[in-house]
Every structure is written in C-alpha cells, then in structure tokens.
Amino acid sequence: SQTIHQWPATLVQPVGSPLSLECTVEGTSNPNLYWYRQAAGRGLQLLFYSVGIGQISSEVPQNLSASRPQDRQFILSSKKLLLSDSGFYLCAGIGTGTYEQYFGPGTRLTVT
Amino acid sequence: EDQVTQSPEALRLQEGESSSLNCSYTVSGLRGLFWYRQDPGKGPEFLFTLYSAGEEKEKERLKATLTKKESFLHITAPKPEDSATYLCAVPNNAGNMLTFGGGTRLMVKP
C-alpha cells in the first residue's frame, strides 16, 4: 500500500514570507496527487490535484500554487503568505486501479 | 453534483454505549463510499471502502454498512480511544475527486 510523507509537520511564518510544503509518495507509481486545506473544525477543501508530472489543476483561485516536478513529489508554494493561508494542509494520493485516497500526516501552518 | 451529508455533527457517548453515525449521499453513479477516521492534528486514516448496497465491513468495534442512499458506521461498546472525527466520502464518476461529508466528531467518555 502507498505511504504519503509530508514535511514539515508544523510551520510558523510571518505574513508576506514565501512557503514551500513538500509531499512525497511511496509504494505506487504515477499516482494522482492532491492538496487539501482544512480549517479548524471544518471540512476538507480541495486546493490542487495532479494526474502526472507538470500537470496541475486548481480548484480554488487563491494565493497558492502547486508543482509536480517528479512522479512522486508534489509541492505547495506561495510567494507571499496571507493571514488567511493559516490552516492544516494535507497531501493525498490515489494509486493505480483504485479510487481510494490515502492521506499524509499533514502540515500545520500558522501565519503571524 | 455529488453531495454527502453526515449526521450528527457531534456525538457524545459513555464508554460501552453503542450508537451509529450516518452518511447520506447523492451521486450520479456510486463508485464506492469511503470511511475515514481523523484524530486531532493528524491526517485522515482510511477505514473502509463499500462498493454496493448491502455490503458490510468490520474492524474491531466498527461496522460499516451501505444502502442505496446512505451508509452507517456502527460503533459497538465504544472505548475512549474511539474518540475522533469520522469522515465519509464518495468519488466522482471519473474516480479522480472525492466529495467529503462534514464529519461527525465522536467523543467517548470513560
């Protein structure tokens, strides 16, 4: 089964600073990959998904961007963070031949 | 548009008090229904996949069932360690997106 790795686990950044969150996948090849954001006590909001290297779809216009430089690597970025970017960021993946999404441990981002 | 609704939003149980969580869904074609458990500050942990009405899956004190309109997560004799938020989700027709319910926050008191 696949394993999703994310880092860092927690991050505190000032407003206006850049952001880079990394997600890597083990145990499958050519996975669909996803970035979600979860506000405290609320549901999951899909931000980006990718079906392959260099292929990114954005679900919500925002201050963030995503890139997929390698098959098993998915990166979430921002050039200048806003207070509203604070939240819990989750990476997820789907392997070949299944619809089941598996999630990473998440990154808690606090923008101050 | 696919829709998933979970109820109740929060549920408080005494240890040993069995209950059920509900997940109602509206989809154009069911390609599965997933249940996840999420502990505070952690990513959702995959629990079950149900594919067709009448199917049941069990894991320890949890049993998931599926009908054509809803799924239930039955918790038998819960323990405090079962406290978590339980999420259900359904994939879209292409199988590349999930629609999540809002979750049920379960609290089990000793």
Side-chain angles (χ1 to χ4, degrees), chain B residues 30-52:
Chain B
L30 185 65
R31 295 181 178 274
L33 185 140
F34 308 141
W35 280 99
Y36 293 87
R37 169 188 171 132
Q38 186 175 23
D39 292 299
K42 297 189 177 181
E45 174 191 351
F46 186 83
L47 290 175
F48 303 111
T49 302
L50 301 167
Y51 286 108
S52 57

Side-chain angles (χ1 to χ4, degrees), chain B residues 49-67:
Chain B
T49 302
L50 301 167
Y51 286 108
S52 57
E55 188 175 0
E56 298 183 352
K57 293 275 181 71
E58 287 189 63
K59 180 179 181 180
E60 297 181 351
R61 294 174 294 281
L62 301 176
K63 182 169 79 172
T65 62
L66 183 66
T67 72

Side-chain angles (χ1 to χ4, degrees), chain A residues 34-72:
Chain A
Y34 304 81
W35 279 111
Y36 291 88
R37 178 168 58 203
Q38 188 175 36
R42 303 185 70 176
L44 292 162
Q45 179 188 31
L46 179 63
L47 302 176
F48 300 96
Y49 74 94
S50 171
V51 299
I53 296 173
Q55 300 179 65
I56 309 294
S57 296
S58 173
E59 290 299 302
V60 181
Q62 59 214 323
N63 185 43
L64 303 169
S65 62
S67 62
R68 186 165 175 180
Q70 299 180 42
D71 180 48
R72 301 178 192 182

Side-chain angles (χ1 to χ4, degrees), chain A residues 5 15 17 22 34 40 59 62 72 75 84-85 107-108:
Chain A
H5 300 281
V15 168
S17 64
E22 187 164 348
Y34 304 81
E59 290 299 302
Q62 59 214 323
R72 301 178 192 182
I75 297 172
S84 58
D85 291 323
T107 295
R108 172 72 60 193

